[in-house]
Amino acid sequence: MAEHWALVVQDRDRPAFLQPPDPGGLKWEPVATPDALDLLITSKNHDLKGAVASVAAPEDWIYALISLQTSEGYGGRGNFGIARMNGGSSSRTMLGLAPVGSDGRPDLSAWWRRDLGLVLRNRNTPTVGTRGGPSLLWTLPWPEGRQIDVREMDPLAIEVCRRIRLTETGGTIRAERAASEAARVEAKAFAGVLDDPWAPISVKDTKPKALTLGEGGRFHYRRMVDLLSGADWKAPLAARLDDEVAGDMVIVAEALARGNSKTDGLHSRILPMPKTVRRAKDLPARLSTVAQAQLAEIKSADGALREAVALYAAGGLYDGVRKPQRQRASEAHARLDALVDGVFFDHLWARVAAMEESPDAQATATRAFRDALVEAVRAELNRAFGTVPCARIHAPRARTRARSKLEGVLHKEGLLETTHV
């Protein structure tokens, strides 16, 4: 059993750490450095260079092995991905709560204890796999063409998706890899829905599937709201908002965005979640209610800004607003969206916490977010006056009418009134 955890085992018929036994008859290719083994796909070596970690410590190989064998997707013929993602071009996403250390960042040891306890306490929950089935998949023989049925392996199994062997000569570690005729685990029909404690599951379609963070994807505030409180998503075990751990926690979302045989960056977002919010009654329902209210307010403010910028681009002529003029508002919209992304959750937590206090507290918290939106759209309109083309002769009229349009729509939508959530 000790050899299962050894980084280098000279007998290729035996397993090594995350390295299945060599079944024989394979074509092995050399891998000189850990970064050449890792899952990051570089583009023709132009920007981020590959295979540069020529002086590598054993831990570098360990990290590369873990990264590859537990998170890799499809990499071309003979290079299959893991079972815990929705297809070879998908992502293995992590979403969960983590206890906070003194620096405000996740406390790694407390995080590990918390997640391990969650998993063990929910060990008997109905699942796809077979409890007590194969769990360390690299320890099993891997004859060519033979797959493991996902329903037979333990639901908490550590899988491997590639044939890798490490060798050591003169104190220097090198790697070899070989292709396979099929994926190690047969799980295509499950679309990544394998009871992963950290994987959000989409339930909006007939067939549930694990979250994919595709090209250009990121953990935008709208995506985070959907994942935490939306009806279209089932939050994973580690992201349950009713966690009983004392103290402040953060929400951690992370995934490597993937495309067709390429990657688009590791995206991560950490959101502080005060204990005053986590202790709120009916938290998921209240979170959803307030989040939807804020999204509606953002939509109203954004709509007012777009109309005002378009009217300015039309020289202040109401009947001159067409598609080209509306397109002039795209930059203002993008800047507003970026600003909102930075403050959305601070206001969300404040409004949820206020629901534990009084109607006056709720009104104050609501007003604070709306005031922030109003200030932002006014600033963006003024910015647009200096960036959006408008004939000089028409500019005074255009500015006056654009401001009037903005204020009128904001008032109509209730963003300039004192209202309650």
Side-chain angles (χ1 to χ4, degrees):
M1 176 64 78
E3 65 189 9
H4 298 169
W5 304 101
L7 191 58
V8 178
V9 174
Q10 298 299 339
D11 184 355
R12 300 175 70 95
D13 293 335
R14 307 297 298 171
F17 179 62
L18 292 177
Q19 304 160 62
D22 181 358
L26 302 177
K27 181 180 179 181
W28 293 88
E29 298 178 351
V31 181
T33 62
D35 57 317
L37 182 67
D38 207 344
L39 58 82
L40 184 63
I41 301 171
T42 55
S43 179
K44 296 184 179 179
N45 218 33
H46 287 168
D47 184 10
L48 183 62
K49 306 300 182 183
V52 297
S54 56
V55 181
E59 66 177 337
D60 297 319
W61 289 101
I62 292 173
Y63 293 143
L65 279 170
I66 295 173
S67 177
L68 177 80
Q69 298 286 39
T70 65
S71 301
E72 182 61 293
Y74 182 71
R77 183 177 180 182
N79 295 291
F80 297 90
I82 64 171
R84 292 183 175 98
M85 63 169 58
N86 177 29
S89 296
S90 185
S91 313
R92 186 173 186 188
T93 305
M94 179 186 71
L95 179 68
L97 288 166
V100 177
S102 58
D103 59 355
R105 305 284 294 179
D107 181 324
L108 299 184
S109 59
W111 189 4
W112 166 254
R113 290 194 302 271
R114 180 253 180 191
D115 283 6
L116 181 60
L118 273 178
V119 168
L120 293 178
R121 289 195 299 272
N122 289 272
R123 180 72 168 150
N124 294 324
T125 302
T127 181
V128 171
T130 300
R131 293 180 190 82
S135 56
L136 306 179
L137 301 194
W138 72 86
T139 65
L140 306 178
W142 187 356
E144 191 65 294
R146 182 180 298 178
Q147 295 180 281
I148 298 173
D149 189 326
V150 70
R151 292 166 294 190
E152 297 176 357
M153 76 180 195
D154 192 280
L156 299 178
I158 302 175
E159 57 180 308
V160 291
C161 61
R162 302 286 175 86
R163 287 191 170 109
I164 304 294
R165 295 295 300 193
L166 298 189
T167 62
E168 183 177 7
T169 304
T172 300
I173 297 176
R174 293 288 184 264
E176 296 177 345
R177 59 184 166 200
S180 60
E181 292 181 355
R184 185 64 180 114
V185 178
E186 174 50 56
K188 185 176 182 180
F190 292 89
V193 183
L194 299 176
D195 304 306
D196 187 328
W198 301 275
I201 302 300
S202 172
V203 293
K204 63 181 178 181
D205 299 321
T206 303
K207 179 181 179 181
K209 56 187 177 183
L211 170 66
T212 294
L213 197 67
E215 297 176 58
R218 62 189 180 94
F219 291 104
H220 184 269
Y221 70 91
R222 294 183 185 276
R223 184 189 295 273
M224 293 299 294
V225 166
D226 285 343
L227 293 177
L228 294 172
S229 64
D232 293 337
W233 291 92
K234 178 183 177 182
L237 177 65
R240 289 182 177 175
L241 299 178
D242 56 356
D243 191 280
E244 297 180 357
V245 175
D248 290 341
M249 300 187 77
V250 292
I251 299 171
V252 182
E254 191 166 87
L256 180 69
R258 300 181 59 88
N260 185 13
S261 295
K262 58 183 177 180
T263 54
D264 196 34
L266 179 67
H267 295 269
S268 178
R269 184 161 192 173
I270 298 177
L271 296 174
M273 192 177 193
K275 56 179 176 292
T276 54
V277 175
R278 291 192 297 104
R279 292 172 179 171
K281 299 176 182 177
D282 302 320
L283 177 57
R286 289 187 174 185
L287 183 64
S288 178
T289 298
V290 178
Q292 293 306 314
Q294 290 196 174
L295 291 175
E297 290 157 357
I298 294 167
K299 182 179 179 180
S300 297
D302 181 60
L305 177 62
R306 287 172 180 264
E307 288 188 41
V309 174
L311 182 57
Y312 176 75
L317 298 176
Y318 297 107
D319 57 358
V321 177
R322 301 286 188 273
K323 183 177 180 180
Q325 286 74 35
R326 291 192 173 91
Q327 290 175 334
R328 293 289 186 182
S330 59
E331 291 186 10
H333 160 75
R335 286 192 295 266
L336 176 64
D337 191 65
L339 183 147
V340 170
D341 191 63
V343 302
F344 183 92
F345 287 96
D346 289 339
H347 286 279
L348 179 64
W349 304 146
R351 291 172 75 167
V352 170
M355 297 176 78
E356 293 288 293
E357 300 177 20
S358 65
D360 286 343
Q362 295 176 47
T364 299
T366 298
R367 183 74 268 148
F369 183 65
R370 294 177 178 178
D371 286 347
L373 287 177
V374 169
E375 180 181 355
V377 295
R378 285 172 175 166
E380 288 305 329
L381 180 59
N382 287 331
R383 185 195 296 266
F385 292 159
T387 59
V388 174
C390 180
R392 182 177 298 179
I393 192 173
H394 301 312
R397 177 187 65 192
R399 285 194 294 267
T400 299
R401 290 184 175 180
R403 288 194 179 102
S404 178
K405 169 62 74 173
L406 179 71
E407 299 299 317
V409 176
L410 291 176
H411 188 275
K412 178 182 177 182
E413 295 295 331
L415 296 180
L416 295 180
E417 297 178 354
T418 302
T419 57
H420 296 278
V421 175

